Amino acid sequence: MSHTIKPLLEMWSRDPARHAPLEDAQGLAAGCLISALGLSFLASVGLLTGGIAGLAFLLHYATGLPFGVLFFSLNLPFAYLAYRRLGPAFCGKSFLAIAVTSVLTDLQPHLLTISWIHPAWASVLGGLLLGFGLLALYRHRASLGGIGILAVYLQERLGWRAGLVQLAFDLSILALAFLVAAPAIVFYSAVGALVLNLFVAINHRADRYIARR
């Protein structure tokens, strides 16, 4: 085989149970871009989401601090679980994804302006895009940290569906949102969280997609 063609072919893994570095790179990049876009739809109408992103949104709306900074900072305590329980590769890729998504989310207002969108539509689109983004990251052994790391850990150790685990946490966080947000905002936020987590629960199964790295 040509010395020129062979390295190109080796950029893609021939083993269906493993990802090559190039495959991981495109999966992580796509997951971060799509997740940041989903967060921008939610933020455009003041909606929340669950997990660490939900807490970051609450603090962002309350303090005015950049969402990306809060999102990254709140995820730092989960580094230990990611490193010790899911491995250094998962930990490294997850925190790279968190950093990239945080930066993209803060840059988004300078790159995209949503002049008007109904909160119901924003919740559906935002939840669906976040679901696609998380699915891409999960399938390349990464997450957006926080509850996502815990959800992947529980799925791999106990067989609990990651999407359903995350949904339970998300609904708990959204219940706290009633303390600081209008009921309509919390309702539409819950719709987005439901769309996101049902999408992940239906489409992400450890026994259906086995690629590892």
Side-chain angles (χ1 to χ4, degrees), residues 89-199:
F90 183 94
C91 179
K93 287 190 286 187
S94 293
F95 276 85
L96 176 62
I98 293 165
V100 172
T101 303
S102 298
V103 171
L104 288 174
T105 303
D106 283 345
L107 286 176
Q108 199 80 281
H110 305 289
L111 304 173
L112 173 67
T113 300
I114 301 173
S115 60
W116 185 86
I117 184 172
H118 193 281
W121 192 230
S123 69
V124 172
L125 288 180
L128 192 59
L129 286 168
L130 274 171
F132 269 107
L134 287 174
L135 184 64
L137 295 174
Y138 286 169
R139 289 189 169 183
H140 288 270
R141 296 287 294 157
S143 79
L144 284 180
I147 304 307
I149 290 175
L150 182 61
V152 171
Y153 170 73
L154 291 175
Q155 174 164 297
E156 296 191 354
R157 292 295 183 270
L158 302 178
W160 297 0
R161 292 286 188 88
L164 295 181
V165 171
Q166 194 156 297
L167 177 60
F169 281 101
D170 288 355
L171 293 178
S172 299
I173 290 172
L174 288 173
L176 296 176
F178 278 108
L179 299 175
V180 296
I185 292 296
V186 178
F187 171 75
Y188 288 125
S189 299
V191 170
L194 184 64
V195 170
L196 187 168
N197 289 294
L198 287 180
F199 178 87

